[in-house]
Amino acid sequence: MRVIRVGTRKSQLARIQTDSVVAMLRALYPGLQFEIVAMSTTGDKILDTALSKIGEKSLFTKELEHALEKNEVDLIVHSLKDLPTVLPPGFTVGAICKRENPYDAVVFHPKFVGKTLETLPERSIVGTSSLRRVAQLQRRYPHLEFKSIRGNLNTRLRKLDEQQEFSAIVLAVAGLQRMGWQNRVGQILHPEECMYAGALGVEVRAKDQDILDLVSVLHDPETLLRCIAERAFLRHLEGGCSVPVAVHTVVKDGQLYLTGGVWSLDGSDSMQETMQATIHIPAQHEDGPEDDPQLVGITARNIPRGAQLAAENLGISLAALLLNKGAKNILDVARQLNDAH
């Protein structure tokens, strides 16, 4: 029986996410055996520094990609937010799974259960390791203080509950749901408060046609096109961990709406715009391009090329609009301040 080796980070959440993808593949390919290979990445090991300060784009992916390159694994399951918008040569995202709940949630210290960010006491400390979240939330809730909190979900929740430092922490709803911790969600942050866009992606060797074909059935057409638009926007703005850039998409009546924003580190300066494009989202897989052109590092032969290009153009156009309005200045200052701190 042929064995397909699947790379993943070691954290419990990463394992749960990988198990969900492998379960789909096992159901589709009962004649294949899937073996999970878990490893620690740089981002898992450096826990005393804010992500934005480490200055390395592929913090949670490099070791896994190294294994992919050396043929030690055949595919990797990632949270797409961990995957830079420019992949190393020779790799591609071969599948993007259906997006679950894309919002952020606030989890409160037991003594503040029943509160919201708005009703937390003055100068309460909220933990998050994301500049994107800090900038947006600082702008909306100026009475709060934000501080970096690192570690996997288990570690962060333990820090919240057992230490008196944090009044609340911000985490992705999808991660809490996958871990079975929905009951800890004290407040859901909707896009107007905090834009967020997460999804699970499968990275493969770009020339490994066999594995590309194998995983491509996992592509969810709507999520794929939304992610192409989002990642094209982020790539055009060079939005990594060290600048507050956020993006959000909605599909409605054949239109893809893309909202993107940039913020200063403290959220005092910001710029946000929305654009839309008409996009044909196939109900199921249709024939796409015959060759293998990647768009923002994603290969999807079973989705029509025109729809993919329209999504990419939407992302680039929105980024260009913000840059024309002066977003570069906001981002440059944010980058310099982040480097200086």
Side-chain angles (χ1 to χ4, degrees):
M1 204 184 222
R2 184 176 173 201
V3 178
I4 307 292
R5 295 148 310 161
V6 182
T8 176
R9 286 168 61 194
K10 270 187 178 162
S11 77
Q12 189 185 351
L13 176 59
R15 291 299 305 261
I16 289 171
Q17 291 176 168
T18 302
D19 287 346
S20 72
V21 172
V22 168
M24 288 189 276
L25 289 170
R26 282 191 176 126
L28 290 161
Y29 304 108
L32 296 175
Q33 200 179 331
F34 293 89
E35 181 187 300
I36 293 174
V37 181
M39 55 189 81
S40 291
T41 65
T42 309
D44 296 311
K45 292 171 193 159
I46 306 177
L47 292 175
D48 56 351
T49 312
L51 289 178
S52 58
K53 299 281 186 288
I54 301 172
E56 161 73 68
K57 275 210 169 76
S58 49
L59 275 178
F60 295 104
T61 57
K62 197 156 70 177
E63 286 78 0
L64 291 159
E65 285 174 339
H66 197 51
L68 189 59
E69 189 175 29
K70 295 199 304 197
N71 271 331
E72 290 167 4
V73 297
D74 300 299
L75 53 112
I76 309 167
V77 179
H78 293 290
S79 285
L80 270 187
K81 65 177 174 49
D82 293 337
L83 210 52
T85 52
V86 179
L87 298 184
F91 301 123
T92 188
V93 175
I96 292 178
C97 305
K98 188 171 176 56
R99 177 169 275 164
E100 293 180 36
N101 187 315
Y103 301 130
D104 278 337
V106 187
V107 178
F108 292 90
H109 185 284
K111 69 180 177 197
F112 290 122
V113 166
K115 294 269 190 198
T116 63
L117 289 180
E118 200 156 7
T119 58
L120 276 177
E122 190 84 23
R123 306 200 56 183
S124 294
I125 293 176
V126 178
T128 170
S129 55
S130 155
L131 290 184
R132 168 185 64 76
R133 288 173 176 147
V134 172
Q136 293 180 80
L137 295 173
Q138 187 89 73
R139 185 178 177 84
R140 189 166 272 256
Y141 305 106
H143 70 292
L144 301 176
E145 292 183 9
F146 293 86
K147 191 173 170 189
S148 173
I149 184 169
R150 293 287 321 283
N152 58 37
L153 255 66
N154 314 53
T155 309
R156 292 187 208 189
L157 279 176
R158 201 167 55 244
K159 282 181 183 172
L160 172 69
D161 293 342
E162 293 175 9
Q163 300 170 8
Q164 297 305 310
E165 183 177 10
F166 297 101
S167 302
I169 58 176
V170 184
L171 300 165
V173 176
L176 287 163
Q177 287 176 337
R178 289 184 188 121
M179 298 285 276
W181 293 338
Q182 299 89 316
N183 63 325
R184 292 300 309 262
V185 174
Q187 180 180 359
I188 301 264
L189 297 173
H190 290 288
E192 53 279 6
E193 296 174 277
C194 193
M195 282 193 276
Y196 173 66
L200 291 183
V202 180
E203 188 180 18
V204 300
R205 291 178 289 271
K207 292 203 163 38
D208 195 339
Q209 202 49 58
D210 203 17
I211 298 289
L212 257 173
D213 291 344
L214 185 93
V215 301
S216 66
V217 290
L218 299 176
H219 267 312
D220 174 65
E222 181 181 307
T223 308
L224 167 89
L225 293 167
R226 288 169 67 180
C227 286
I228 286 176
E230 291 159 5
R231 287 173 77 78
F233 172 78
L234 293 170
R235 179 193 272 192
H236 206 67
L237 281 177
E238 293 180 13
C241 279
S242 59
V243 285
V245 174
V247 65
H248 173 68
T249 46
V250 177
V251 171
K252 200 173 167 200
D253 304 329
Q255 296 285 311
L256 174 56
Y257 295 86
L258 178 68
T259 302
V262 302
W263 288 261
S264 57
L265 288 189
D266 64 358
S268 59
D269 205 358
S270 82
M271 191 176 286
Q272 207 169 303
E273 292 289 347
T274 300
M275 287 177 91
Q276 70 195 77
T278 305
I279 284 189
H280 161 63
I281 296 177
Q284 65 257 3
H285 291 163
E286 298 179 5
D287 286 341
E290 268 312 299
D291 51 351
D292 258 341
Q294 292 187 34
L295 291 183
V296 285
I298 299 165
T299 300
R301 282 183 167 185
N302 45 5
I303 308 294
R305 179 78 173 154
Q308 292 186 54
L309 284 169
E312 184 190 42
N313 287 335
L314 179 63
I316 293 169
S317 302
L318 183 64
L321 175 66
L322 285 175
L323 288 169
N324 283 340
K325 291 191 159 191
K328 187 174 179 342
N329 190 36
I330 296 175
L331 292 177
D332 285 346
V333 171
R335 242 184 225 107
Q336 286 158 8
L337 279 174
N338 181 58
D339 292 346
H341 278 238

